[in-house]
Amino acid sequence: MQTGFFAYGSQIPSSGESIEEAIKIINDSVDNVNIESWTNLQISGSLIISNILNAIDNCDFFCADLTGINDNVLFEIGYALAKKKPIYLINDVSHADSLRKFNELGLLSTVGYYPYTNTNQIVEGFHKMSPHDPIDRYWDNLTATLPSSFDRKALLVLNSQVETNYNLEITNLIDFYKLPSVIDDASENIVQPISWYLEQLHSVPAVLVQFSSQARKGFETHNSKCSLISGIALGLELKLQIIAEKPYSIPLDFKDLLKKFSNRKECSSFVNDFLESLHEEIAELLINRDIKVKDRRKRTELQNVNFGEAIAEHESNNIYDYYVDTNHTQQLVKNEYNIVVGRKGSGKTATLYYLSEDLSQDVRNNVVLIKPVNFEVDGLISLMEESNSEFEKGFLIETIWKFLIYTEIAKYLYYKTKKKALYALREVENEFLEYVDSVKGVYLTDFSTRLEEQIKVLKENNIKDIGAGNNKEFRLKVSELLHEGSIYKMKEFFSELIPKNHKLIVLIDNLDKSWRNDSKINILSKYILGLLGVSGRIFKELSYVKSKDKKIDFHLTIFLRSDIFKQVISFAREPDKIEVSRLKWEDPEILFRIIEDRFVALSQGEYSTKELWDRFFEPKVEGVLTKDFIIKNIFPRPRDIIYFFKTCKDTAISRGHEIIMERDVIDSLKDYSSWVFKSVLVENGITYKQMEEFMYELMAGNRIVSKIEISSKMSAAGIYNEGDSDVEKFIDHLVSLTIFGRETAKGVFTYEYDVNNAKKIKVLAQKFNSNLFKIHNALISYLECV
């Protein structure tokens, strides 16, 4: 007798009725098959997780309904997949919202489902899919893409989709326990491909999952992802901790696994307990994990091909080996301050890691890397709003930045000096270590905590009343509160700790992490602009330390998203004097070099560039050269091309192909299009709240739209639209995100890949005056445009 278990959500009664009727028909009509649903497992009207998991463990095949994208069901699907159960998934495609949620999640697209709207179709699908007599083993197909060896880590972390203080607290605790980890940053990409999660789950013994409060935007997709991955983690017998910010109504399956918190202290307590036990057990857990990850069947050549990671943070240790240096990175630190600008996904963080590693090869370079996880925006905004004048605001911003940079340099030099043998320490080095140890709270906490502490100190001292309009008194008092005396002492230490002819280089990234669409952009823009001003002050202060008769060669480089830089520059008094370096990838040859260099480097020289195309790709897709097809259908950015190639490879492997076939490339475009749609919404972050609604207005429409149609869709999406100027402003925004290209000549649509060309493209379009716009090919597949 083949036994099955059927999981479905209770939020759509009609689906439950159809499934129960289908179960009865199947049990009565199919020999040696008996299916039970979750309703049979209720004890005194309630469910306990052990009953559910036991039922899945003991069944021969597993069935589930995706309608409504229920978190319980996703958890059970994940668990059943990891237990290698044959699976039959169904989805009532008449529920439009449910279908949208499935597409947004995207993690089960390679598994697929049987569409239904009634009982007979569920029964029909069961006979066709035959989970009781399976041909396909979904788990084998999914794990076929796993690499032959893993970069071992202690922990996989799924953080909240919103950059909160809880994310910061978790990151700080992981750093404290010095646990090597990989963090799924949902603020970068809401959902990674399923192959990425499976690779990480096979390389770690433990998983920490933070579900989102149901009060926060975007919680549905994030929590659905967390449910599926938590189920897989539990099925793989990993050490699992699930936490959630209140309010969060706990799905029944999670009840015994999940801990809810309502403040930072509670979050810290739960995470600390988990990490402390992980720290104690890590050696045993890693050994057990190595035993469980057994050698799989013989791997094909294609399975051994590697293109690296699409997100730089996930490959920071290896990126130096295959970074394509098209921007002559040493030039990025030539001035006293430098700005590197690029779109999201254009390689800013990869350039930062490469630059840091490249500069560090020379022992004369002291490279200080500042990557704040996030900082408390609301506190900064309220502090600025309480200030009495523009002078006070400007002085506060520059003084805060000066404090943060000096303390970050001190922290770097402290840990560098601590690595020296005790007998090798000079007297001044001992003095420096003793001094920093005496004020650890000021110098050795993380960047974001230091910022929050200083804002708290200034607010507690009633910023409004400081100086009472007297600029000199205000400066003295603020300087005192922000440890100006200690900073002066640090300057003297720096001059003795950094030898002659050595450089001090500060690299700053992640300043976009705390930009939210509800933040006061003018204040945040001035805060970042203040960094440019203070870098000049620091340069002057360090260029000659009078008390020590010493010069320090200081350089600062900031990495900024282009849309944020556009906002920041609008507040500058002399924007034309701000020099920037831009990351551009419009040349297809340079873009393909990223893939080709990775392919060769990660194969340990086993393959040449030519072999990528000759051995692993069919020469043409839809009648055009494969390279031309790819470049025509993606955004020209490193992250996009890496993601697309990885998806092509994973699709081909899951189908048992030894090379990437034409159909694999075409179907991978659908997956990529869904990913880029979500990526655009993330990049949109600081503006129009209704952008998602507007994007769905484009669905199933024409790929070429007029200005009038855009105006109409704006209104339908609830976007403020009181006239032509509002429409123009919104169109500018859409074009800057590369959602639309402008018609600049008959049938020629030009996309704004480089903000420098924005004005030129707009003028050409105005002169042609067709007022027509074309949706980028990268989005066409997901939006199903005609």
Side-chain angles (χ1 to χ4, degrees):
M1 175 71 72
Q2 292 282 302
T3 60
F5 180 77
F6 215 125
Y8 61 87
S10 58
Q11 72 267 44
I12 302 176
S14 61
S15 292
E17 288 176 4
S18 297
I19 290 166
E20 291 295 340
E21 289 173 12
I23 290 172
K24 189 174 186 310
I25 293 170
I26 293 167
N27 286 345
D28 292 343
S29 62
V30 182
D31 292 339
N32 295 318
V33 167
N34 183 64
I35 302 174
E36 280 194 331
S37 78
W38 64 272
T39 55
N40 297 340
L41 301 179
Q42 290 181 314
I43 300 172
S44 302
S46 64
L47 284 168
I48 55 175
I49 187 172
S50 57
N51 288 353
I52 295 279
L53 300 184
N54 285 338
I56 297 173
D57 286 334
N58 295 326
C59 71
D60 295 301
F61 61 90
F62 176 81
C63 311
D65 179 29
L66 292 165
T67 310
I69 308 295
N70 179 280
D71 284 355
N72 268 335
V73 174
L74 288 169
F75 181 83
E76 291 157 19
I77 290 171
Y79 185 80
L81 278 169
K83 291 300 180 183
K84 303 183 180 180
K85 301 293 178 180
I87 285 181
Y88 171 47
L89 300 181
I90 61 174
N91 195 357
D92 186 342
V93 292
S94 65
H95 286 271
D97 191 54
S98 173
L99 202 57
R100 177 181 63 80
K101 288 177 182 177
F102 177 82
N103 289 332
E104 284 181 358
L105 179 62
L107 286 173
L108 292 171
S109 57
T110 53
V111 176
Y113 60 79
Y114 195 84
Y116 81 96
T117 56
N118 58 54
T119 298
N120 290 336
Q121 289 170 338
I122 298 173
V123 176
E124 177 189 90
F126 182 83
H127 287 295
K128 286 184 177 178
M129 307 297 284
S130 302
H132 57 298
D133 186 21
I135 298 172
D136 284 329
R137 293 277 179 176
Y138 288 118
W139 184 253
D140 290 343
N141 291 340
L142 288 171
T143 55
T145 63
L146 293 177
S148 55
S149 61
F150 299 98
D151 182 11
R152 286 276 175 243
K153 297 284 196 304
L155 180 67
L156 169 65
V157 181
L158 272 63
N159 255 342
S160 169
Q161 81 283 8
V162 180
E163 283 293 347
T164 63
N165 281 343
Y166 306 127
N167 284 11
L168 175 63
E169 188 65 28
I170 290 168
T171 306
N172 287 345
L173 285 167
I174 292 168
D175 288 344
F176 174 78
Y177 282 102
K178 293 183 168 54
L179 291 165
S181 62
V182 60
I183 297 178
D184 175 30
D185 185 354
S187 69
E188 283 288 333
N189 285 100
I190 301 168
V191 182
Q192 303 289 345
I194 186 69
S195 57
W196 184 85
Y197 291 106
L198 291 175
E199 184 176 335
Q200 306 314 317
L201 290 169
H202 279 80
S203 68
V204 299
V207 182
L208 173 61
V209 180
Q210 183 191 171
F211 278 70
S212 169
S213 161
Q214 288 158 328
R216 293 192 185 273
K217 187 179 177 183
F219 77 89
E220 287 180 314
T221 301
H222 176 75
N223 289 351
S224 295
K225 171 187 76 176
C226 289
S227 300
L228 182 69
I229 303 307
S230 296
I232 296 174
L234 193 65
L236 291 173
E237 299 176 24
L238 303 182
K239 185 180 178 71
L240 175 66
Q241 178 65 68
I242 305 174
I243 60 173
E245 177 193 3
K246 297 177 184 176
Y248 180 80
S249 55
I250 303 176
L252 292 169
D253 285 14
F254 302 166
K255 201 168 186 177
D256 301 329
L257 295 171
L258 186 144
K259 295 178 178 178
K260 294 196 289 186
F261 57 86
S262 55
N263 55 57
R264 193 165 177 170
K265 186 178 179 182
E266 287 178 353
C267 173
S268 180
S269 174
F270 294 148
V271 175
N272 187 70
D273 290 347
F274 175 69
L275 295 181
E276 188 174 18
S277 66
L278 175 60
H279 192 262
E280 291 168 359
E281 303 166 19
I282 189 62
E284 183 182 350
L285 286 168
L286 282 170
I287 291 168
N288 291 340
R289 191 78 196 110
D290 282 337
I291 293 169
K292 286 175 183 173
V293 181
K294 296 175 182 175
D295 288 336
R296 292 177 293 283
R297 59 193 174 191
K298 188 180 177 184
R299 298 171 62 81
T300 65
E301 273 194 289
L302 183 59
Q303 284 175 297
N304 290 319
V305 168
N306 191 352
F307 297 117
E309 294 283 354
I311 295 177
E313 284 85 351
H314 297 158
E315 57 175 4
S316 57
N317 293 334
N318 307 316
I319 205 163
Y320 185 75
D321 298 331
Y322 44 74
Y323 177 83
V324 177
D325 187 5
T326 61
N327 293 286
H328 310 293
T329 47
Q330 291 279 355
Q331 295 296 308
L332 302 180
V333 292
K334 63 179 180 179
N335 300 322
E336 62 185 66
Y337 73 78
N338 311 268
I339 305 174
V340 182
V341 172
R343 286 279 302 273
K344 198 174 185 71
S346 62
K348 295 184 302 299
T349 302
T351 302
L352 173 90
Y353 285 132
Y354 176 80
L355 184 59
S356 175
E357 182 76 19
D358 194 43
L359 291 168
S360 298
Q361 301 291 318
D362 187 336
V363 295
R364 294 170 300 175
N365 292 331
N366 294 275
V367 184
V368 181
L369 196 59
I370 302 178
K371 278 178 64 69
V373 176
N374 74 332
F375 53 82
E376 183 47 62
V377 169
D378 296 332
L380 181 68
I381 288 171
S382 64
L383 182 69
M384 293 299 112
E385 288 180 332
E386 288 175 21
S387 303
N388 293 309
S389 65
E390 287 302 312
F391 167 82
E392 290 187 2
K393 287 187 177 82
F395 184 76
L396 274 172
I397 287 170
E398 289 205 6
T399 308
I400 290 171
W401 266 122
K402 184 180 172 185
F403 166 80
L404 290 169
I405 290 172
Y406 269 105
T407 51
E408 200 70 25
I409 295 169
K411 185 179 176 182
Y412 162 83
L413 291 172
Y414 174 85
Y415 286 116
K416 182 180 178 182
T417 308
K418 284 279 276 189
K419 288 177 183 176
K420 283 188 172 185
L422 288 174
Y423 66 82
L425 289 174
R426 293 179 290 137
E427 185 180 346
V428 69
E429 290 172 325
N430 274 316
E431 286 177 20
F432 172 68
L433 293 176
E434 287 172 12
Y435 181 76
V436 174
D437 281 331
S438 70
V439 281
K440 277 185 178 179
V442 176
Y443 286 96
L444 298 184
T445 53
D446 67 273
F447 180 94
S448 303
T449 302
R450 260 177 285 140
L451 174 59
E452 287 170 33
E453 282 300 314
Q454 299 319 305
I455 289 172
K456 183 180 174 184
V457 166
L458 290 165
K459 286 177 74 70
E460 285 174 352
N461 281 272
N462 296 319
I463 194 71
K464 272 185 180 179
D465 302 330
I466 295 176
N470 185 318
N471 291 347
K472 186 177 180 181
E473 194 175 324
F474 178 84
R475 288 177 67 168
L476 289 171
K477 182 64 176 173
V478 169
S479 297
E480 179 188 328
L481 291 170
L482 292 180
H483 311 279
E484 185 69 25
S486 178
I487 295 298
Y488 181 80
K489 192 172 182 66
M490 274 301 135
K491 249 189 310 188
E492 295 190 325
F493 275 129
F494 296 167
S495 67
E496 298 202 57
L497 294 170
I498 299 172
K500 188 179 180 182
N501 297 324
H502 283 219
K503 289 181 180 178
L504 178 57
I505 302 164
V506 176
L507 308 176
I508 303 180
D509 191 20
N510 272 16
L511 293 179
D512 59 318
K513 287 287 183 185
S514 296
W515 281 57
R516 304 192 307 258
N517 54 8
D518 57 345
S519 299
K520 299 207 173 176
I521 304 304
N522 60 332
I523 289 177
L524 290 178
S525 296
K526 288 176 182 176
Y527 178 65
I528 293 176
L529 201 58
L531 177 55
L532 306 183
V534 82
S535 65
R537 281 176 58 192
I538 295 173
F539 178 81
K540 286 173 185 172
E541 288 180 6
L542 296 180
S543 61
Y544 181 64
V545 183
K546 191 174 181 181
S547 59
K548 300 293 179 182
D549 191 26
K550 184 79 177 286
K551 293 180 179 179
I552 299 174
D553 190 359
F554 174 79
H555 302 269
L556 180 141
T557 299
I558 310 162
F559 293 79
L560 271 182
R561 238 169 53 197
S562 52
D563 56 320
I564 292 176
F565 178 71
K566 190 188 279 188
Q567 295 277 353
V568 170
I569 205 75
S570 66
F571 291 92
R573 290 176 186 169
E574 297 178 294
D576 55 309
K577 291 187 178 178
I578 298 178
E579 290 184 31
V580 297
S581 300
R582 299 185 185 277
L583 300 176
K584 297 182 289 186
W585 301 94
E586 290 160 75
D587 185 336
E589 283 191 33
I590 296 175
L591 196 61
F592 279 118
R593 258 194 68 200
I594 293 170
I595 287 298
E596 292 163 352
D597 284 13
R598 284 164 174 258
F599 168 74
V600 172
L602 292 169
S603 72
Q604 308 298 321
E606 186 177 337
Y607 299 119
S608 67
T609 297
K610 190 172 183 292
E611 286 176 295
L612 170 63
W613 304 104
D614 292 349
R615 292 178 67 166
F616 295 106
F617 276 92
E618 287 194 334
K620 289 189 175 182
V621 177
E622 293 188 346
V624 300
L625 292 174
T626 301
K627 272 189 173 184
D628 293 340
F629 178 86
I630 293 170
I631 209 69
K632 184 179 76 172
N633 287 294
I634 67 169
F635 286 173
R637 302 181 298 195
R639 184 176 297 177
D640 291 66
I641 198 167
I642 295 167
Y643 181 94
F644 187 76
F645 270 73
K646 283 169 67 70
T647 304
C648 288
K649 176 199 153 187
D650 291 347
T651 302
I653 291 170
S654 65
R655 291 170 171 173
H657 298 164
E658 294 192 1
I659 69 165
I660 297 166
M661 313 285 285
E662 179 182 22
R663 176 50 53 189
D664 299 329
V665 177
I666 292 168
D667 289 345
S668 294
L669 180 59
K670 296 174 186 175
D671 184 290
Y672 164 74
S673 186
S674 171
W675 176 82
V676 87
F677 175 85
K678 287 174 271 193
S679 177
V680 164
L681 293 180
V682 171
E683 189 172 354
N684 173 61
I686 61 169
T687 45
Y688 304 100
K689 294 179 182 179
Q690 299 87 357
M691 174 61 85
E692 186 174 4
E693 285 75 7
F694 174 82
M695 294 294 285
Y696 281 113
E697 286 292 322
L698 297 174
M699 192 164 274
N702 291 321
R703 63 179 66 185
I704 296 176
V705 296
S706 67
K707 183 177 176 179
I708 293 170
E709 288 173 306
I710 292 173
S711 176
S712 172
K713 293 179 190 299
M714 282 175 67
S715 300
I719 295 170
Y720 184 79
N721 181 5
E722 289 296 317
D724 193 64
S725 62
D726 293 324
V727 178
E728 280 292 333
K729 186 178 177 185
F730 185 62
I731 288 174
D732 287 348
H733 182 59
L734 295 170
V735 170
S736 73
L737 290 171
T738 328
I739 294 169
F740 282 131
R742 301 180 191 269
E743 189 172 27
T744 53
K746 182 69 174 175
V748 177
F749 291 85
T750 309
Y751 295 92
E752 190 185 304
Y753 296 129
D754 178 7
V755 71
N756 266 3
N757 294 330
K759 192 168 183 179
K760 177 184 175 182
I761 294 169
K762 189 171 183 178
V763 169
L764 287 171
Q766 285 171 340
K767 290 194 173 184
F768 186 68
N769 199 30
S770 69
N771 282 322
L772 291 178
F773 305 85
K774 187 177 181 181
I775 299 170
H776 197 286
N777 285 347
L779 293 161
I780 294 295
S781 181
Y782 182 78
L783 293 175
E784 297 184 22
C785 296
V786 295

